[in-house]
Every structure is written in structure tokens, then in C-alpha cells.
């Protein structure tokens, strides 16, 4: 292996004359033949101008004028047009006016079509197609759509869709006029018939101040309800008890907190699903949050309670929005005395059940209570002694007694009926029979 000496290596170091002439890099620099001025490309040396050909249109058959090399240098230059299409239909739901933006890219003669986003239209928006050469309708001599085919106030067919061009921007107008085209005046975009109909529709009556905007359902609705309690320890008096009711909308559960004087804050009913009172042959279900509102009677485990007001502003605003004005804060005590409205009956019950006592009973039967059953269809009466608990049946006293001489209206609390030698005073009717008898007393029943 041979080694270079120090004297040989010094011969490669450039001299001061070379550094002064070429600088720190002795390599010859490549001369630029093109230069840019105001975004346009020119030949740097004048003697090469005649030998540098001008770039013409990509469509050799187009005689609208050369594109020159400035369009090739400005790769982002594009012509922008506003256009629309009209979809025919029988009504406003189908007959539509759709607005589009057409961009023609000068560097490669491609076209991009976009549809701006419009609220509440019901169909997709955005890009229709991007930077594609569109075949011309008549491809003889001109295979693709050229910028010379685009003008304000004219129709253009792009992939079998007719677009009506209504306007263009300032750059597009100046570009077309510089290349010998006469640009028409801008046209107004037509309005969609559906939007016109909506704008001309008569406005409804003004809403309440707290009803101008839609109020979402709160997670919990709070009401106040009352109950006329006749099963208390106050010597048979009927005591009005007031409760605050919490209705949870997520799972339709209900909780009750008492607000009666001297009982404030006590938990009356823990959070639980509240059974809805239905007929025996109807499947069981619970109350839903929309079943409870002011002015409605609800059954809280055989306790009829009247909902008379909303307990907070949030509940009041939401209920007013959903059901209108429902404030029964000034209810009368007669509503509680009358109780809930009678149930609608389309057919009379098969059995009417009463609790009765014997009139002038012998000593062996003195003080006994009886349960009387009246079969409406067979018109038969069965009487049994009452058991140890109220409304429980004990020993049979009379069985299948013919009651064809009695009418159905004679079976009511307070009436005295005689079967053979025994007379019975009807003291009380069961819950189902009582509902039916109360409904019969209403003037509108049939």
C-alpha cells in the first residue's frame, strides 16, 4: 500500500486566485435558463427566446387562444363558477334546487364539482367528483370539456347532469375576457320551492315566554299530591295529607315524602315502581312518567291521591310544554270528597259483592256480618257468613236463591232485601262493585 506524502497533499489545496474567482466552492455552477417575474415564467437569455416554444392548450383543436406558459407555471390556477341543477317533481318534497361550485383546473384541464352544505335538506352534500376530465357531449374534434365551453348563463353537461352556470369570480371573468370570450352578466340563483313555501307559511300564535325554545325532559319530575285519609287513628275523622312526589323518568319509579303538618320530611313511600290499577283480565303494568301530571288521580297501593301542582319551575315548564296549562293549586275540597272519577264500564260485572247484616236477627245470629253475592247473569243470590277477617267468606248461609223478582238497581248499599224469612241490610259494597255503582250514577252512562 502506498502513502501520499505531505507535499503531494498540498498540491490539492486551491490557491488564493481560485478562491477569489470561484469562492469557497470551485465546482462550476449550472446556469438557469428560465426566470420568474410576477408569477410568470420567462427565458433568462434573450438569444434563446426564439428557440423556446410557447405552450399551447392541451386540446390541439381549440382555437380560443394559447394557454401560454404562465398557466403551466401557476399550477394552482383554477376557474370558479357558481351553478345549480333542478330536480323535477310533483311537489316541494321532490322538486329541488341544488347549488354547486364548479372549479376548472387550468394546468391539466380537469374539473371538480362540490355541493356546499345546506341545513335540513335530508340528503348528503360535499364533493361530487374531483379533478376529472369530463367527456364532451360531441367528442368529434374535442374529446373533453374545455374551459372555453364554460360561460355565465349557459348550460354544461357533466356526466349526464345539466348544470346551469349563474356567476363566476373576478379572476375567471378577467381570464375569459383576456382570451377573447364575452362573459355574460351574472344570474340570480333560484330559490328552492320547499324553502319558499316554508317562509310563506302562516306563523302560529306566539308561545309563552318559557315555551319559545324546546325544553328537554328533566331526569326527575316533582309534584305535590294529597290524600284524604280515613284509615287513621284520629277517631274516624278524614285527614287531608299532603305529599311531595318524585317521579324518576329514567326507570318510571316513584317516591313520596310527606309534607303534612307535624309529619314533615317523613318517608312515606321509598323509590319503587307504582302498579297501575287495571281490570283483572288486563296484564299488570306500572305507572309511566307521562301518566302522572297535575289534575290526575293516581292509585298508590289502594290510596287514591290527587296531583294538584308542580313542585318546581323545571317541572312546571316541561309539563306546560307537553300538556298545556295544568295548574290545580286552587282545587276545592269537594274534589277530594268525591274521589277519583268512576271507571268506564261497557258490561256490568258478573258478580256484585256486598257486606250486609241481618235485620232483627235472632240471638244466635246477632252481631254477625254476611257476604252477599249477586250473580247478574243467572240472577241468583248466595249468602255466606263473614270470616274472622273482613271480606273473607265463612260458612254458607243461603245458596242459589232465586232473585228474579229483584232488579239490579235494588242491589246497592243502604237497601234492605228479604230472602225467605230473613231480611238483610246491605251495608257496604266491595271496591269493584262500588266503582261500577258509582259509574251507573253518572248521567252519561249508557
Amino acid at each position: 500500500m502506498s502513502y501520499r506524502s505531505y507535499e503531494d497533499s498540498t498540491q490539492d489545496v486551491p490557491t488564493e486566485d481560485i478562491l477569489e474567482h470561484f469562492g469557497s466552492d470551485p465546482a462550476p455552477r449550472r446556469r438557469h435558463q428560465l426566470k420568474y417575474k410576477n408569477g410568470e415564467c420567462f427565458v433568462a437569455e434573450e438569444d434563446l427566446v426564439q428557440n423556446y416554444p410557447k405552450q399551447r392548450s392541451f386540446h390541439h383543436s381549440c382555437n380560443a387562444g394559447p394557454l401560454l406558459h404562465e398557466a403551466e407555471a401557476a399550477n394552482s390556477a383554477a376557474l370558479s363558477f357558481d351553478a345549480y341543477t333542478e330536480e323535477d317533481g310533483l311537489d316541494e318534497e321532490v322538486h329541488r334546487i341544488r347549488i354547486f361550485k364548479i372549479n376548472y383546473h387550468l394546468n391539466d384541464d380537469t374539473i371538480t364539482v362540490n355541493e356546499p352544505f345546506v341545513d335540513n335538506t335530508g340528503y348528503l352534500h360535499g364533493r361530487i367528483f374531483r379533478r376529472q376530465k369530463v367527456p364532451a357531449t360531441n367528442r368529434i374534434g374535442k374529446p373533453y370539456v374545455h374551459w372555453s365551453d364554460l360561460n355565465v348563463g349557459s348550460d354544461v353537461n357533466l356526466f349526464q347532469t345539466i348544470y346551469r352556470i349563474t356567476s363566476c369570480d373576478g379572476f375567471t371573468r378577467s381570464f375569459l375576457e383576456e382570451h377573447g370570450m364575452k362573459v355574460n352578466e351574472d344570474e340570480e340563483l333560484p330559490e328552492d320551492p320547499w324553502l319558499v313555501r316554508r317562509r310563506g307559511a302562516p306563523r302560529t300564535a306566539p308561545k309563552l315566554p318559557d315555551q319559545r325554545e324546546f325544553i328537554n325532559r328533566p331526569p326527575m319530575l316533582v309534584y305535590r299530591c294529597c290524600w284524604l285519609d280515613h284509615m287513621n287513628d284520629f277517631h274516624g275523622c278524614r285527614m287531608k295529607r299532603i305529599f311531595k312526589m318524585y317521579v324518576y323518568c329514567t326507570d318510571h319509579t316513584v317516591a313520596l315524602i310527606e309534607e303534612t303538618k307535624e309529619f314533615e320530611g317523613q318517608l312515606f313511600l321509598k323509590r319503587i315502581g307504582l302498579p297501575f290499577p287495571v281490570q283483572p283480565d288486563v296484564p299488570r303494568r306500572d305507572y309511566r312518567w307521562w301518566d302522572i301530571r297535575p289534575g290526575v288521580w293516581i292509585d298508590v297501593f289502594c290510596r287514591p291521591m290527587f296531583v294538584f301542582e308542580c313542585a318546581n319551575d323545571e317541572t312546571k315548564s316541561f309539563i306546560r310544554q307537553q300538556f298545556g296549562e295544568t295548574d290545580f293549586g286552587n282545587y276545592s275540597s269537594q274534589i277530594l270528597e268525591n274521589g277519583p272519577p268512576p271507571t268506564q264500564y261497557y258490561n256490568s260485572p258478573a258478580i256484585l259483592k256486598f257486606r250486609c247484616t241481618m235485620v232483627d236477627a235472632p240471638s244466635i245470629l246477632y252481631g254477625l256480618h254476611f257476604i252477599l253475592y249477586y250473580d247478574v247473569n243467572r240472577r241468583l243470590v248466595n249468602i255466606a257468613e263473614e270470616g274472622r277477617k273482613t271480606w273473607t267468606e265463612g260458612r254458607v248461609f243461603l245458596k242459589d236463591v232465586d232473585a228474579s223478582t229483584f232488579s239490579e238497581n235494588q242491589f246497592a248499599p243502604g237497601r234492605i232485601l228479604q230472602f225467605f224469612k230473613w231480611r238483610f241490610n246491605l251495608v257496604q259494597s266491595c271496591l269493584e262493585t262500588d266503582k261500577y255503582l258509582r259509574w251507573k250514577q253518572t248521567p252519561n252512562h249508557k
Side-chain angles (χ1 to χ4, degrees), residues 178-209:
E178 288 177 1
H179 290 81
M181 289 186 60
K182 181 181 179 181
V183 183
N184 302 322
E185 296 295 331
D186 294 345
E187 298 180 355
E188 293 185 1
L189 286 170
E191 292 185 316
D192 190 83
W194 185 76
L195 295 177
V196 173
R197 184 176 62 85
R198 284 196 62 185
R199 188 164 52 248
R203 300 187 62 182
T204 57
K207 298 181 179 180
L208 298 175

Short mmCIF file of all heavy atoms in Angstrom, two decimals, residues 178-209:
data_model
loop_
_atom_site.label_atom_id
_atom_site.label_comp_id
_atom_site.label_asym_id
_atom_site.label_seq_id
_atom_site.Cartn_x
_atom_site.Cartn_y
_atom_site.Cartn_z
N GLU A 178 -59.73 38.09 -21.37
CA GLU A 178 -58.41 38.25 -21.98
C GLU A 178 -58.19 37.29 -23.13
O GLU A 178 -57.36 37.55 -24.01
CB GLU A 178 -57.32 38.05 -20.92
CG GLU A 178 -57.23 39.19 -19.92
CD GLU A 178 -56.19 38.91 -18.84
OE1 GLU A 178 -55.55 37.83 -18.92
OE2 GLU A 178 -56.02 39.76 -17.95
N HIS A 179 -58.90 36.16 -23.08
CA HIS A 179 -58.73 35.16 -24.14
C HIS A 179 -59.87 35.22 -25.15
O HIS A 179 -60.16 34.23 -25.83
CB HIS A 179 -58.64 33.76 -23.53
CG HIS A 179 -57.36 33.54 -22.80
ND1 HIS A 179 -57.15 33.98 -21.51
CD2 HIS A 179 -56.19 32.92 -23.17
CE1 HIS A 179 -55.94 33.65 -21.10
NE2 HIS A 179 -55.33 33.00 -22.10
N GLY A 180 -60.51 36.36 -25.27
CA GLY A 180 -61.42 36.59 -26.37
C GLY A 180 -62.85 36.14 -26.16
O GLY A 180 -63.64 36.16 -27.12
N MET A 181 -63.22 35.76 -24.96
CA MET A 181 -64.59 35.33 -24.71
C MET A 181 -65.40 36.48 -24.12
O MET A 181 -64.89 37.27 -23.32
CB MET A 181 -64.64 34.13 -23.75
CG MET A 181 -64.14 32.84 -24.35
SD MET A 181 -64.38 31.44 -23.22
CE MET A 181 -66.14 31.48 -23.00
N LYS A 182 -66.66 36.56 -24.52
CA LYS A 182 -67.56 37.55 -23.97
C LYS A 182 -68.35 36.90 -22.83
O LYS A 182 -69.15 35.99 -23.04
CB LYS A 182 -68.51 38.08 -25.04
CG LYS A 182 -69.47 39.14 -24.53
CD LYS A 182 -70.40 39.62 -25.63
CE LYS A 182 -71.38 40.67 -25.09
NZ LYS A 182 -72.32 41.13 -26.14
N VAL A 183 -68.10 37.38 -21.64
CA VAL A 183 -68.73 36.79 -20.45
C VAL A 183 -70.07 37.49 -20.21
O VAL A 183 -70.14 38.73 -20.17
CB VAL A 183 -67.81 36.92 -19.22
CG1 VAL A 183 -68.45 36.25 -18.01
CG2 VAL A 183 -66.45 36.33 -19.52
N ASN A 184 -71.11 36.72 -20.04
CA ASN A 184 -72.45 37.27 -19.81
C ASN A 184 -72.59 37.80 -18.38
O ASN A 184 -71.75 37.55 -17.51
CB ASN A 184 -73.51 36.20 -20.07
CG ASN A 184 -73.43 35.65 -21.48
OD1 ASN A 184 -73.17 36.40 -22.42
ND2 ASN A 184 -73.66 34.35 -21.63
N GLU A 185 -73.67 38.54 -18.17
CA GLU A 185 -73.94 39.07 -16.84
C GLU A 185 -74.38 37.95 -15.89
O GLU A 185 -74.92 36.93 -16.32
CB GLU A 185 -75.03 40.15 -16.91
CG GLU A 185 -74.63 41.38 -17.71
CD GLU A 185 -73.48 42.14 -17.06
OE1 GLU A 185 -73.38 42.07 -15.80
OE2 GLU A 185 -72.72 42.78 -17.78
N ASP A 186 -74.10 38.17 -14.62
CA ASP A 186 -74.45 37.16 -13.61
C ASP A 186 -75.97 37.01 -13.50
O ASP A 186 -76.72 37.98 -13.65
CB ASP A 186 -73.87 37.53 -12.24
CG ASP A 186 -72.35 37.50 -12.24
OD1 ASP A 186 -71.78 36.94 -13.19
OD2 ASP A 186 -71.75 38.04 -11.28
N GLU A 187 -76.40 35.80 -13.22
CA GLU A 187 -77.81 35.50 -12.99
C GLU A 187 -78.04 35.21 -11.51
O GLU A 187 -77.12 34.83 -10.78
CB GLU A 187 -78.24 34.27 -13.82
CG GLU A 187 -78.14 34.47 -15.32
CD GLU A 187 -78.58 33.23 -16.08
OE1 GLU A 187 -78.87 32.20 -15.40
OE2 GLU A 187 -78.64 33.28 -17.31
N GLU A 188 -79.26 35.39 -11.08
CA GLU A 188 -79.61 35.09 -9.70
C GLU A 188 -79.92 33.61 -9.54
O GLU A 188 -80.55 33.00 -10.40
CB GLU A 188 -80.84 35.91 -9.26
CG GLU A 188 -80.58 37.41 -9.18
CD GLU A 188 -81.79 38.15 -8.62
OE1 GLU A 188 -82.79 37.46 -8.29
OE2 GLU A 188 -81.72 39.38 -8.52
N LEU A 189 -79.46 33.06 -8.42
CA LEU A 189 -79.75 31.66 -8.14
C LEU A 189 -81.22 31.52 -7.75
O LEU A 189 -81.73 32.27 -6.92
CB LEU A 189 -78.87 31.15 -6.99
CG LEU A 189 -77.40 30.90 -7.33
CD1 LEU A 189 -76.61 30.62 -6.06
CD2 LEU A 189 -77.27 29.72 -8.28
N PRO A 190 -81.95 30.58 -8.34
CA PRO A 190 -83.36 30.39 -7.96
C PRO A 190 -83.47 29.81 -6.55
O PRO A 190 -82.56 29.12 -6.07
CB PRO A 190 -83.89 29.42 -9.02
CG PRO A 190 -82.68 28.67 -9.47
CD PRO A 190 -81.53 29.64 -9.39
N GLU A 191 -84.57 30.09 -5.89
CA GLU A 191 -84.80 29.58 -4.54
C GLU A 191 -85.51 28.24 -4.59
O GLU A 191 -86.30 27.98 -5.49
CB GLU A 191 -85.64 30.57 -3.72
CG GLU A 191 -84.90 31.85 -3.40
CD GLU A 191 -85.71 32.74 -2.48
OE1 GLU A 191 -86.91 32.89 -2.73
OE2 GLU A 191 -85.13 33.27 -1.52
N ASP A 192 -85.21 27.42 -3.62
CA ASP A 192 -85.84 26.12 -3.54
C ASP A 192 -87.33 26.28 -3.22
O ASP A 192 -87.69 27.04 -2.32
CB ASP A 192 -85.16 25.29 -2.45
CG ASP A 192 -85.62 23.84 -2.48
OD1 ASP A 192 -85.07 23.07 -3.27
OD2 ASP A 192 -86.54 23.50 -1.70
N PRO A 193 -88.25 25.60 -3.94
CA PRO A 193 -89.69 25.77 -3.69
C PRO A 193 -90.09 25.40 -2.26
O PRO A 193 -91.00 26.01 -1.69
CB PRO A 193 -90.35 24.84 -4.72
CG PRO A 193 -89.32 24.66 -5.79
CD PRO A 193 -88.00 24.74 -5.09
N TRP A 194 -89.43 24.40 -1.68
CA TRP A 194 -89.78 24.00 -0.32
C TRP A 194 -89.45 25.10 0.68
O TRP A 194 -90.22 25.38 1.59
CB TRP A 194 -89.06 22.71 0.03
CG TRP A 194 -89.44 22.14 1.36
CD1 TRP A 194 -90.59 21.48 1.66
CD2 TRP A 194 -88.68 22.19 2.55
NE1 TRP A 194 -90.60 21.11 2.98
CE2 TRP A 194 -89.43 21.52 3.55
CE3 TRP A 194 -87.43 22.72 2.89
CZ2 TRP A 194 -88.97 21.39 4.85
CZ3 TRP A 194 -86.97 22.57 4.19
CH2 TRP A 194 -87.74 21.92 5.14
N LEU A 195 -88.29 25.76 0.49
CA LEU A 195 -87.92 26.85 1.38
C LEU A 195 -88.85 28.04 1.19
O LEU A 195 -89.19 28.73 2.16
CB LEU A 195 -86.47 27.26 1.12
CG LEU A 195 -85.40 26.21 1.45
CD1 LEU A 195 -84.02 26.73 1.07
CD2 LEU A 195 -85.44 25.85 2.92
N VAL A 196 -89.27 28.29 -0.04
CA VAL A 196 -90.20 29.39 -0.29
C VAL A 196 -91.53 29.13 0.40
O VAL A 196 -92.13 30.03 1.00
CB VAL A 196 -90.39 29.59 -1.81
CG1 VAL A 196 -91.46 30.62 -2.08
CG2 VAL A 196 -89.07 30.00 -2.44
N ARG A 197 -92.01 27.89 0.34
CA ARG A 197 -93.27 27.56 0.98
C ARG A 197 -93.18 27.69 2.49
O ARG A 197 -94.10 28.16 3.15
CB ARG A 197 -93.70 26.15 0.59
CG ARG A 197 -95.06 25.74 1.14
CD ARG A 197 -95.45 24.37 0.63
NE ARG A 197 -94.52 23.36 1.07
CZ ARG A 197 -94.61 22.74 2.26
NH1 ARG A 197 -95.58 23.05 3.09
NH2 ARG A 197 -93.75 21.82 2.60
N ARG A 198 -92.06 27.27 3.06
CA ARG A 198 -91.89 27.38 4.50
C ARG A 198 -91.83 28.84 4.94
O ARG A 198 -92.40 29.21 5.97
CB ARG A 198 -90.61 26.68 4.94
CG ARG A 198 -90.70 25.17 4.97
CD ARG A 198 -89.57 24.58 5.76
NE ARG A 198 -89.63 25.03 7.14
CZ ARG A 198 -88.70 24.75 8.05
NH1 ARG A 198 -87.64 24.04 7.70
NH2 ARG A 198 -88.80 25.17 9.28
N ARG A 199 -91.15 29.68 4.15
CA ARG A 199 -91.04 31.08 4.51
C ARG A 199 -92.38 31.79 4.38
O ARG A 199 -92.67 32.72 5.14
CB ARG A 199 -89.99 31.75 3.63
CG ARG A 199 -89.64 33.17 4.04
CD ARG A 199 -88.36 33.65 3.42
NE ARG A 199 -88.35 33.48 1.98
CZ ARG A 199 -87.57 32.63 1.34
NH1 ARG A 199 -86.77 31.83 2.02
NH2 ARG A 199 -87.59 32.52 0.03
N GLY A 200 -93.22 31.34 3.46
CA GLY A 200 -94.51 31.98 3.27
C GLY A 200 -95.63 31.38 4.08
O GLY A 200 -96.75 31.86 4.01
N ALA A 201 -95.35 30.31 4.86
CA ALA A 201 -96.41 29.68 5.65
C ALA A 201 -96.82 30.60 6.78
O ALA A 201 -96.01 31.32 7.35
CB ALA A 201 -95.90 28.35 6.21
N PRO A 202 -98.12 30.61 7.13
CA PRO A 202 -98.56 31.48 8.24
C PRO A 202 -97.97 31.03 9.56
O PRO A 202 -97.90 29.83 9.85
CB PRO A 202 -100.09 31.31 8.21
CG PRO A 202 -100.32 29.99 7.53
CD PRO A 202 -99.20 29.85 6.53
N ARG A 203 -97.54 31.97 10.33
CA ARG A 203 -96.94 31.67 11.62
C ARG A 203 -98.03 31.38 12.64
O ARG A 203 -99.12 31.95 12.62
CB ARG A 203 -96.07 32.84 12.09
CG ARG A 203 -94.94 33.17 11.14
CD ARG A 203 -94.03 34.21 11.73
NE ARG A 203 -93.42 33.73 12.96
CZ ARG A 203 -92.60 34.46 13.71
NH1 ARG A 203 -92.31 35.69 13.36
NH2 ARG A 203 -92.09 33.96 14.81
N THR A 204 -97.72 30.49 13.54
CA THR A 204 -98.68 30.14 14.58
C THR A 204 -98.71 31.23 15.64
O THR A 204 -97.91 32.18 15.61
CB THR A 204 -98.28 28.80 15.21
OG1 THR A 204 -96.94 28.91 15.72
CG2 THR A 204 -98.33 27.69 14.18
N ALA A 205 -99.63 31.10 16.55
CA ALA A 205 -99.76 32.08 17.63
C ALA A 205 -98.50 32.10 18.47
O ALA A 205 -97.83 31.07 18.63
CB ALA A 205 -100.97 31.74 18.49
N PRO A 206 -98.12 33.26 19.00
CA PRO A 206 -96.89 33.31 19.82
C PRO A 206 -97.03 32.43 21.05
O PRO A 206 -98.08 32.34 21.67
CB PRO A 206 -96.81 34.80 20.20
CG PRO A 206 -98.18 35.34 20.02
CD PRO A 206 -98.80 34.54 18.91
N LYS A 207 -95.93 31.78 21.37
CA LYS A 207 -95.92 30.88 22.51
C LYS A 207 -95.63 31.64 23.79
O LYS A 207 -95.28 32.82 23.77
CB LYS A 207 -94.86 29.79 22.31
CG LYS A 207 -95.13 28.92 21.09
CD LYS A 207 -94.07 27.86 20.97
CE LYS A 207 -94.33 26.97 19.76
NZ LYS A 207 -93.31 25.92 19.63
N LEU A 208 -95.78 30.96 24.88
CA LEU A 208 -95.47 31.54 26.17
C LEU A 208 -93.99 31.81 26.28
O LEU A 208 -93.17 31.19 25.58
CB LEU A 208 -95.93 30.60 27.27
CG LEU A 208 -97.46 30.33 27.29
CD1 LEU A 208 -97.78 29.29 28.35
CD2 LEU A 208 -98.23 31.61 27.55
N PRO A 209 -93.58 32.73 27.15
CA PRO A 209 -92.16 33.08 27.23
C PRO A 209 -91.26 31.88 27.52
O PRO A 209 -90.18 31.77 26.97
CB PRO A 209 -92.11 34.11 28.38
CG PRO A 209 -93.48 34.70 28.41
CD PRO A 209 -94.42 33.60 28.01
#
